[in-house]
Short mmCIF file of all heavy atoms in Angstrom, two decimals:
data_model
loop_
_atom_site.label_atom_id
_atom_site.label_comp_id
_atom_site.label_asym_id
_atom_site.label_seq_id
_atom_site.Cartn_x
_atom_site.Cartn_y
_atom_site.Cartn_z
N ASN D 16 -6.12 18.35 6.32
CA ASN D 16 -5.16 19.38 6.49
C ASN D 16 -4.02 18.95 7.45
O ASN D 16 -2.88 19.17 7.28
CB ASN D 16 -5.74 20.67 6.89
CG ASN D 16 -6.57 21.35 5.88
OD1 ASN D 16 -6.45 20.90 4.67
ND2 ASN D 16 -7.35 22.38 6.20
N ALA D 17 -4.42 18.31 8.58
CA ALA D 17 -3.54 17.83 9.53
C ALA D 17 -2.56 16.86 8.97
O ALA D 17 -1.31 16.91 9.27
CB ALA D 17 -4.17 17.27 10.82
N ARG D 18 -3.16 15.83 8.09
CA ARG D 18 -2.18 14.93 7.49
C ARG D 18 -1.29 15.62 6.43
O ARG D 18 -0.20 15.34 6.40
CB ARG D 18 -3.20 13.98 6.76
CG ARG D 18 -2.41 12.93 5.82
CD ARG D 18 -1.60 11.96 6.69
NE ARG D 18 -0.93 11.00 5.67
CZ ARG D 18 0.27 11.25 5.14
NH1 ARG D 18 0.79 12.44 5.35
NH2 ARG D 18 0.86 10.35 4.36
N ALA D 19 -1.78 16.62 5.77
CA ALA D 19 -0.93 17.28 4.72
C ALA D 19 0.16 18.18 5.42
O ALA D 19 1.14 18.31 4.87
CB ALA D 19 -1.87 18.15 3.90
N LYS D 20 -0.16 18.72 6.65
CA LYS D 20 0.78 19.68 7.24
C LYS D 20 1.70 18.97 8.22
O LYS D 20 2.29 19.62 9.06
CB LYS D 20 -0.06 20.66 8.00
CG LYS D 20 -0.77 21.72 7.10
CD LYS D 20 -1.34 22.84 7.89
CE LYS D 20 -2.28 22.51 8.96
NZ LYS D 20 -2.74 23.68 9.68
N ARG D 21 1.79 17.65 8.16
CA ARG D 21 2.48 16.93 9.09
C ARG D 21 3.93 17.39 9.23
O ARG D 21 4.48 17.59 10.35
CB ARG D 21 2.45 15.45 8.84
CG ARG D 21 3.13 14.57 9.93
CD ARG D 21 2.76 13.09 9.80
NE ARG D 21 3.19 12.64 8.44
CZ ARG D 21 2.85 11.39 8.02
NH1 ARG D 21 2.05 10.62 8.66
NH2 ARG D 21 3.27 11.05 6.73
N GLU D 22 4.61 17.56 8.13
CA GLU D 22 5.99 17.97 8.17
C GLU D 22 6.13 19.40 8.52
O GLU D 22 7.07 19.78 9.30
CB GLU D 22 6.60 17.83 6.74
CG GLU D 22 6.97 16.35 6.39
CD GLU D 22 5.76 15.51 5.98
OE1 GLU D 22 4.68 16.11 5.68
OE2 GLU D 22 5.84 14.38 6.05
N LEU D 23 5.23 20.28 8.18
CA LEU D 23 5.23 21.70 8.60
C LEU D 23 5.03 21.69 10.15
O LEU D 23 5.74 22.43 10.82
CB LEU D 23 4.13 22.44 7.99
CG LEU D 23 4.25 22.67 6.47
CD1 LEU D 23 2.96 23.52 5.94
CD2 LEU D 23 5.53 23.11 5.99
N ASP D 24 4.09 20.93 10.68
CA ASP D 24 3.85 20.97 12.16
C ASP D 24 4.97 20.47 12.91
O ASP D 24 5.17 20.79 14.11
CB ASP D 24 2.51 20.17 12.43
CG ASP D 24 1.28 20.89 11.88
OD1 ASP D 24 1.37 22.20 11.65
OD2 ASP D 24 0.25 20.42 11.75
N ALA D 25 5.58 19.48 12.34
CA ALA D 25 6.77 18.83 13.01
C ALA D 25 7.78 19.88 13.39
O ALA D 25 8.45 19.85 14.39
CB ALA D 25 7.37 17.74 12.09
N LEU D 26 8.05 20.77 12.48
CA LEU D 26 8.99 21.86 12.75
C LEU D 26 8.58 22.67 13.83
O LEU D 26 9.36 23.19 14.75
CB LEU D 26 9.27 22.61 11.43
CG LEU D 26 10.09 21.97 10.35
CD1 LEU D 26 10.05 22.89 9.12
CD2 LEU D 26 11.48 21.86 10.78
N LEU D 27 7.26 23.10 13.81
CA LEU D 27 6.74 24.07 14.79
C LEU D 27 6.73 23.33 16.21
O LEU D 27 7.14 23.93 17.21
CB LEU D 27 5.35 24.42 14.52
CG LEU D 27 5.21 25.21 13.23
CD1 LEU D 27 3.66 25.37 12.93
CD2 LEU D 27 5.83 26.65 13.28
N ASP D 28 6.38 22.06 16.26
CA ASP D 28 6.19 21.36 17.48
C ASP D 28 7.62 21.12 18.30
O ASP D 28 7.71 20.94 19.46
CB ASP D 28 5.49 20.11 17.38
CG ASP D 28 4.03 20.31 16.96
OD1 ASP D 28 3.50 21.43 17.14
OD2 ASP D 28 3.42 19.36 16.41
N ARG D 29 8.57 21.01 17.41
CA ARG D 29 9.92 20.61 17.88
C ARG D 29 10.79 21.83 18.34
O ARG D 29 11.92 21.72 18.74
CB ARG D 29 10.75 19.89 16.73
CG ARG D 29 10.17 18.49 16.53
CD ARG D 29 10.90 17.81 15.42
NE ARG D 29 12.26 17.52 15.73
CZ ARG D 29 13.30 18.25 15.36
NH1 ARG D 29 13.14 19.34 14.52
NH2 ARG D 29 14.54 17.92 15.68
N ALA D 30 10.23 23.02 18.31
CA ALA D 30 10.95 24.21 18.62
C ALA D 30 11.49 24.07 20.09
O ALA D 30 10.74 23.76 21.03
CB ALA D 30 10.13 25.46 18.59
N PRO D 31 12.75 24.16 20.40
CA PRO D 31 13.33 24.04 21.80
C PRO D 31 12.75 25.07 22.64
O PRO D 31 12.59 26.32 22.29
CB PRO D 31 14.85 24.25 21.51
CG PRO D 31 15.16 24.02 20.12
CD PRO D 31 13.84 24.46 19.34
N GLN D 32 12.43 24.65 23.83
CA GLN D 32 11.90 25.58 24.82
C GLN D 32 12.94 25.90 25.96
O GLN D 32 12.87 26.95 26.59
CB GLN D 32 10.71 24.95 25.45
CG GLN D 32 9.61 24.60 24.50
CD GLN D 32 9.11 25.84 23.76
OE1 GLN D 32 8.91 26.90 24.40
NE2 GLN D 32 8.80 25.71 22.47
N LEU D 33 13.85 25.02 26.34
CA LEU D 33 14.73 25.14 27.33
C LEU D 33 16.20 25.03 26.88
O LEU D 33 16.49 24.29 25.82
CB LEU D 33 14.51 24.23 28.50
CG LEU D 33 13.23 24.29 29.32
CD1 LEU D 33 13.08 23.18 30.32
CD2 LEU D 33 13.25 25.72 30.08
N ALA D 34 17.25 25.67 27.55
CA ALA D 34 18.58 25.53 27.36
C ALA D 34 19.30 25.24 28.66
O ALA D 34 18.73 25.55 29.72
CB ALA D 34 19.17 26.64 26.61
N HIS D 35 20.38 24.59 28.51
CA HIS D 35 21.17 24.31 29.88
C HIS D 35 22.48 25.13 29.85
O HIS D 35 23.44 24.80 29.14
CB HIS D 35 21.56 22.83 29.93
CG HIS D 35 20.37 21.98 29.65
ND1 HIS D 35 19.21 21.91 30.27
CD2 HIS D 35 20.28 21.05 28.59
CE1 HIS D 35 18.37 21.05 29.77
NE2 HIS D 35 19.00 20.51 28.64
N ARG D 36 22.55 26.18 30.55
CA ARG D 36 23.60 27.17 30.55
C ARG D 36 24.68 26.86 31.64
O ARG D 36 24.20 26.61 32.76
CB ARG D 36 23.22 28.54 30.62
CG ARG D 36 24.30 29.63 30.51
CD ARG D 36 23.76 30.99 30.37
NE ARG D 36 22.89 31.39 31.53
CZ ARG D 36 22.18 32.50 31.53
NH1 ARG D 36 22.11 33.32 30.49
NH2 ARG D 36 21.52 32.81 32.65
N SER D 37 25.93 27.05 31.35
CA SER D 37 27.00 26.69 32.35
C SER D 37 27.16 27.98 33.24
O SER D 37 27.41 29.11 32.70
CB SER D 37 28.34 26.39 31.66
OG SER D 37 29.37 26.31 32.60
N VAL D 38 26.94 27.83 34.47
CA VAL D 38 27.18 28.90 35.38
C VAL D 38 28.08 28.43 36.62
O VAL D 38 27.63 27.52 37.26
CB VAL D 38 25.81 29.50 36.04
CG1 VAL D 38 26.05 30.54 37.03
CG2 VAL D 38 24.91 29.80 34.93
N ALA D 39 29.26 28.94 36.65
CA ALA D 39 30.21 28.52 37.77
C ALA D 39 30.47 27.11 37.70
O ALA D 39 30.57 26.34 38.81
CB ALA D 39 29.70 29.02 39.10
N GLY D 40 30.53 26.51 36.49
CA GLY D 40 30.82 25.07 36.36
C GLY D 40 29.72 24.26 36.50
O GLY D 40 29.83 22.98 36.28
N GLU D 41 28.50 24.80 36.79
CA GLU D 41 27.27 23.90 36.86
C GLU D 41 26.32 24.41 35.66
O GLU D 41 26.36 25.57 35.38
CB GLU D 41 26.65 24.08 38.21
CG GLU D 41 27.47 23.54 39.34
CD GLU D 41 26.74 23.71 40.69
OE1 GLU D 41 25.56 24.15 40.66
OE2 GLU D 41 27.37 23.19 41.67
N TYR D 42 25.50 23.44 35.29
CA TYR D 42 24.52 23.82 34.21
C TYR D 42 23.17 24.01 34.87
O TYR D 42 22.66 23.22 35.63
CB TYR D 42 24.44 22.62 33.23
CG TYR D 42 25.66 22.52 32.37
CD1 TYR D 42 26.63 21.59 32.56
CD2 TYR D 42 25.79 23.41 31.30
CE1 TYR D 42 27.82 21.53 31.75
CE2 TYR D 42 27.01 23.39 30.53
CZ TYR D 42 27.91 22.36 30.76
OH TYR D 42 29.10 22.38 29.94
N GLN D 43 22.52 25.22 34.36
CA GLN D 43 21.24 25.57 34.96
C GLN D 43 20.29 25.70 33.81
O GLN D 43 20.64 26.24 32.75
CB GLN D 43 21.33 26.90 35.73
CG GLN D 43 22.21 26.87 36.90
CD GLN D 43 22.33 28.07 37.63
OE1 GLN D 43 21.82 29.19 37.19
NE2 GLN D 43 23.00 28.22 38.76
N ASP D 44 19.04 25.25 34.02
CA ASP D 44 18.01 25.45 32.91
C ASP D 44 17.50 26.76 32.93
O ASP D 44 17.31 27.46 33.90
CB ASP D 44 16.88 24.46 33.19
CG ASP D 44 17.30 22.96 32.97
OD1 ASP D 44 18.34 22.73 32.51
OD2 ASP D 44 16.48 22.11 33.46
N LEU D 45 17.24 27.30 31.68
CA LEU D 45 16.68 28.55 31.44
C LEU D 45 15.98 28.58 30.15
O LEU D 45 16.18 27.72 29.36
CB LEU D 45 17.78 29.70 31.43
CG LEU D 45 18.60 29.83 30.15
CD1 LEU D 45 19.28 31.25 30.10
CD2 LEU D 45 19.60 28.70 30.10
N PRO D 46 14.92 29.47 30.04
CA PRO D 46 14.15 29.46 28.79
C PRO D 46 15.02 29.90 27.59
O PRO D 46 16.04 30.60 27.82
CB PRO D 46 13.17 30.71 29.03
CG PRO D 46 13.01 30.73 30.54
CD PRO D 46 14.36 30.37 31.10
N VAL D 47 14.82 29.26 26.47
CA VAL D 47 15.79 29.32 25.41
C VAL D 47 15.86 30.88 24.94
O VAL D 47 16.90 31.23 24.41
CB VAL D 47 15.34 28.41 24.24
CG1 VAL D 47 14.06 28.94 23.57
CG2 VAL D 47 16.39 28.34 23.16
N ASN D 48 14.74 31.67 25.08
CA ASN D 48 14.90 33.02 24.68
C ASN D 48 15.70 33.97 25.57
O ASN D 48 15.98 35.10 25.24
CB ASN D 48 13.50 33.63 24.48
CG ASN D 48 12.66 33.56 25.72
OD1 ASN D 48 13.24 33.15 26.77
ND2 ASN D 48 11.35 33.90 25.65
N GLU D 49 16.29 33.35 26.68
CA GLU D 49 17.17 34.08 27.54
C GLU D 49 18.60 33.74 27.31
O GLU D 49 19.48 34.48 27.92
CB GLU D 49 16.84 33.81 28.99
CG GLU D 49 15.32 34.30 29.38
CD GLU D 49 15.11 33.98 30.87
OE1 GLU D 49 16.14 33.62 31.59
OE2 GLU D 49 13.90 34.18 31.29
N VAL D 50 18.91 32.98 26.40
CA VAL D 50 20.37 32.61 25.99
C VAL D 50 20.90 33.84 25.32
O VAL D 50 20.35 34.40 24.40
CB VAL D 50 20.36 31.43 25.08
CG1 VAL D 50 21.74 31.18 24.57
CG2 VAL D 50 19.83 30.15 25.76
N GLN D 51 22.12 34.12 25.72
CA GLN D 51 22.86 35.19 25.18
C GLN D 51 24.05 34.74 24.38
O GLN D 51 24.58 33.61 24.55
CB GLN D 51 23.37 36.17 26.27
CG GLN D 51 22.30 36.70 27.14
CD GLN D 51 21.33 37.71 26.43
OE1 GLN D 51 21.78 38.42 25.45
NE2 GLN D 51 20.08 37.54 26.60
N VAL D 52 24.52 35.57 23.40
CA VAL D 52 25.73 35.10 22.61
C VAL D 52 26.89 35.04 23.60
O VAL D 52 27.15 35.85 24.43
CB VAL D 52 25.96 36.27 21.54
CG1 VAL D 52 27.23 35.99 20.77
CG2 VAL D 52 24.86 36.34 20.59
N GLY D 53 27.65 33.94 23.38
CA GLY D 53 28.80 33.67 24.22
C GLY D 53 28.56 32.68 25.29
O GLY D 53 29.41 32.24 25.99
N ASP D 54 27.22 32.45 25.67
CA ASP D 54 26.87 31.40 26.58
C ASP D 54 27.35 30.11 26.27
O ASP D 54 27.31 29.60 25.12
CB ASP D 54 25.44 31.42 26.95
CG ASP D 54 24.84 32.65 27.70
OD1 ASP D 54 25.75 33.32 28.23
OD2 ASP D 54 23.61 32.76 27.77
N VAL D 55 27.86 29.34 27.33
CA VAL D 55 28.28 27.97 27.05
C VAL D 55 27.10 27.11 27.52
O VAL D 55 26.61 27.17 28.56
CB VAL D 55 29.53 27.60 27.93
CG1 VAL D 55 29.82 26.07 27.79
CG2 VAL D 55 30.75 28.40 27.51
N LEU D 56 26.58 26.30 26.59
CA LEU D 56 25.43 25.46 26.77
C LEU D 56 25.85 23.97 26.77
O LEU D 56 26.69 23.62 25.88
CB LEU D 56 24.42 25.86 25.69
CG LEU D 56 23.94 27.19 25.57
CD1 LEU D 56 23.10 27.51 24.34
CD2 LEU D 56 23.43 27.79 26.84
N LEU D 57 25.04 23.15 27.43
CA LEU D 57 25.08 21.76 27.37
C LEU D 57 23.99 21.15 26.57
O LEU D 57 22.85 21.59 26.75
CB LEU D 57 25.07 21.12 28.77
CG LEU D 57 24.94 19.58 28.83
CD1 LEU D 57 26.32 18.98 28.44
CD2 LEU D 57 24.58 19.15 30.22
N VAL D 58 24.22 20.39 25.61
CA VAL D 58 23.21 19.74 24.82
C VAL D 58 23.30 18.26 25.15
O VAL D 58 24.33 17.62 24.80
CB VAL D 58 23.40 19.94 23.25
CG1 VAL D 58 22.27 19.27 22.55
CG2 VAL D 58 23.56 21.37 22.91
N ARG D 59 22.30 17.66 25.72
CA ARG D 59 22.23 16.29 26.18
C ARG D 59 21.98 15.36 25.02
O ARG D 59 21.46 15.75 23.93
CB ARG D 59 21.27 16.21 27.28
CG ARG D 59 21.58 16.94 28.59
CD ARG D 59 20.56 16.99 29.57
NE ARG D 59 20.89 17.66 30.83
CZ ARG D 59 20.09 18.19 31.61
NH1 ARG D 59 18.82 18.22 31.44
NH2 ARG D 59 20.57 18.83 32.72
N PRO D 60 22.16 14.12 25.22
CA PRO D 60 21.92 13.09 24.22
C PRO D 60 20.44 13.22 23.74
O PRO D 60 19.56 13.30 24.49
CB PRO D 60 22.16 11.80 24.89
CG PRO D 60 23.19 12.08 25.90
CD PRO D 60 22.86 13.45 26.45
N SER D 61 20.30 13.21 22.36
CA SER D 61 18.93 13.18 21.84
C SER D 61 18.19 14.50 21.96
O SER D 61 16.94 14.56 21.57
CB SER D 61 18.09 11.95 22.21
OG SER D 61 18.75 10.85 21.97
N GLU D 62 18.81 15.57 22.52
CA GLU D 62 18.18 16.85 22.65
C GLU D 62 18.38 17.69 21.38
O GLU D 62 19.26 17.35 20.62
CB GLU D 62 18.82 17.64 23.85
CG GLU D 62 18.15 17.22 25.13
CD GLU D 62 18.58 18.17 26.33
OE1 GLU D 62 19.50 18.94 26.09
OE2 GLU D 62 17.81 18.23 27.26
#
């Protein structure tokens, strides 16, 4: 089952947990579920 579900599990395991939000010109980490519409976010290389 683990072999068969590899692609399904890959989607689940890759769910982002953190975001980098711009606050006063600086980027601060916060849980992804706290991101609000309109927030400016930094996405780093390979993130």
Side-chain angles (χ1 to χ4, degrees):
N16 287 350
R18 172 67 179 84
K20 291 192 297 181
R21 186 167 59 187
E22 283 76 18
L23 297 181
D24 292 340
L26 286 172
L27 296 172
D28 294 340
R29 292 176 63 259
Q32 302 298 320
L33 292 176
H35 317 298
R36 182 170 61 188
S37 176
V38 179
E41 296 182 357
Y42 288 101
Q43 299 178 355
D44 291 349
L45 76 161
V47 69
N48 57 7
E49 295 181 12
V50 173
Q51 301 296 319
V52 175
D54 285 350
V55 175
L56 306 175
L57 175 70
V58 184
R59 293 170 178 156
S61 301
E62 278 192 341

